[in-house]
């Protein structure tokens, strides 16, 4: 079956513009996660969706970042008024069960965002 | 706070020789630990995970890791490196049981395999 997919794979934008990143989780996966990976660093947790529960947004770095998910399907991560420090690879993951830590997260290939 | 430290940013080995990627963790309770691998232009893939069962964990592609509580370590090993093992490897810990979905990643170790 298909894995987690993300689009676009690459995005170059100008400082101050808004961008929208998309994630299609594996069908049937109830939990969805967004992470950010800056160059040469590990992943930073951004946000977590689990079914119809309120998302955990504690990792979002500023109010310029927001994310939505409709049901158990597609999620979009929006960055408003992009800054150069937002340049990174944004990774999405999904998992099949209740989002517990031992539940394996399946990662997409990421969207590489470059802010000029 | 829980954290992981990957002691080497780069490791270079010859094909056919053993691989050792080091990871130390900091946790106030018995943690769950993972190793993920990231090949160029591919998504992260789970190699193996430790969840307080057997301390020696076997993963995919011949990798294994041993949980040593006394040393707070979870080093990744493989007896014989293959060219296809060249990738970035991340040691990961779960921060606490209440936020067990917020994986905490180390900074990564890039494995280079020489012919």
């Amino acid at each position: 079956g298909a894995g987690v997919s993300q689009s676009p794979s690459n995005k170059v934008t100008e400082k101050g513009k808004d961008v929208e990143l998309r994630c299609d989780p594996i069908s049937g996966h109830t939990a969805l996660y967004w992470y950010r990976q800056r160059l040469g660093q590990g992943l930073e947790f951004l946000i977590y969706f689990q079914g119809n529960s309120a998302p955990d947004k504690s990792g979002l770095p500023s109010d310029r970042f927001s994310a939505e998910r409709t049901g158990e399907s597609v999620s979009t991560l929006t960055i408003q008024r992009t800054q150069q420090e937002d340049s990174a690879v944004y990774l999405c993951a999904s998992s099949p069960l209740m989002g517990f830590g031992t539940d394996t997260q399946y990662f997409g290939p990421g969207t590489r965002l470059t802010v000029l | 706070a829980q954290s992981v430290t990957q002691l080497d940013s780069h490791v270079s080995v010859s094909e056919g020789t053993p691989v050792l990627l080091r990871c130390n963790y900091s946790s106030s309770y018995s943690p769950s630990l993972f190793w993920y691998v990231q090949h160029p232009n591919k998504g992260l893939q789970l190699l193996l995970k430790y969840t307080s069962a057997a301390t020696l964990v076997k993963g995919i592609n011949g990798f294994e890791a041993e949980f040593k509580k006394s040393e707070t370590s979870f080093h990744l090993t493989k007896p014989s490196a293959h060219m296809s093992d060249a990738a970035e490897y991340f040691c990961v810990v779960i921060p606490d049981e209440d936020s067990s979905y917020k994986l905490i990643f180390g900074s990564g170790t890039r494995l280079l395999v020489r012919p």
Side-chain angles (χ1 to χ4, degrees):
Chain A
V4 178
S5 61
Q6 293 185 246
S7 61
S9 55
N10 280 284
K11 176 71 177 178
V12 180
T13 190
E14 293 179 347
K15 178 181 174 181
K17 301 281 190 183
D18 297 352
V19 295
E20 201 170 86
L21 313 179
R22 176 187 169 108
C23 171
D24 284 84
I26 294 172
S27 178
H29 280 194
T30 60
L32 186 145
Y33 319 76
W34 282 97
Y35 293 85
R36 177 172 69 179
Q37 185 179 22
R38 289 183 160 140
L39 187 63
Q41 299 183 20
L43 278 66
E44 305 168 72
F45 168 82
L46 295 178
I47 188 168
Y48 160 70
F49 294 92
Q50 171 52 50
N52 294 320
S53 301
D56 180 345
K57 305 180 181 180
S58 59
L60 294 178
S62 78
D63 59 8
R64 295 186 296 104
F65 287 72
S66 63
E68 293 184 353
R69 186 184 187 195
T70 304
E72 295 182 357
S73 60
V74 172
S75 175
T76 55
L77 176 69
T78 301
I79 308 174
Q80 296 178 309
R81 305 181 302 281
T82 52
Q83 303 294 313
Q84 289 183 332
E85 63 262 28
D86 299 335
S87 296
V89 177
Y90 290 83
L91 289 150
C92 175
S94 68
S95 64
L97 299 175
M98 294 302 292
F100 297 137
T102 56
D103 187 13
T104 299
Q105 296 184 22
Y106 296 84
F107 284 82
T111 294
R112 182 175 300 277
L113 174 65
T114 304
V115 182
L116 302 177
Chain B
Q2 282 71 30
S3 65
V4 287
T5 301
Q6 292 185 245
L7 300 168
D8 307 293
S9 59
H10 292 80
V11 169
S12 181
V13 301
S14 297
E15 190 175 20
T17 64
V19 175
L20 170 64
L21 305 183
R22 298 183 293 166
C23 173
N24 285 94
Y25 69 89
S26 169
S27 176
S28 57
Y29 72 108
S30 184
S32 292
L33 292 155
F34 308 77
W35 277 97
Y36 276 83
V37 60
Q38 187 176 37
H39 286 94
N41 301 316
K42 291 188 178 180
L44 282 157
Q45 182 182 21
L46 179 68
L47 269 182
L48 49 82
K49 62 183 178 183
Y50 166 76
T51 56
S52 73
T55 56
L56 181 63
V57 183
K58 294 187 184 297
I60 61 173
N61 300 332
F63 284 93
E64 62 182 38
E66 186 172 6
F67 174 74
K68 291 187 176 180
K69 187 174 182 179
S70 61
E71 298 177 9
T72 61
S73 68
F74 190 58
H75 300 335
L76 182 69
T77 60
K78 183 173 180 178
S80 176
H82 191 272
M83 295 298 292
S84 61
D85 294 328
E88 185 100 22
Y89 292 79
F90 293 95
C91 184
V92 180
V93 68
I94 292 173
D96 57 63
E97 293 179 344
D98 291 335
S99 338
S100 57
Y101 47 84
K102 293 184 190 178
L103 303 183
I104 293 178
F105 283 73
S107 55
T109 298
R110 183 166 297 278
L111 176 64
L112 307 173
V113 182
R114 304 184 301 271

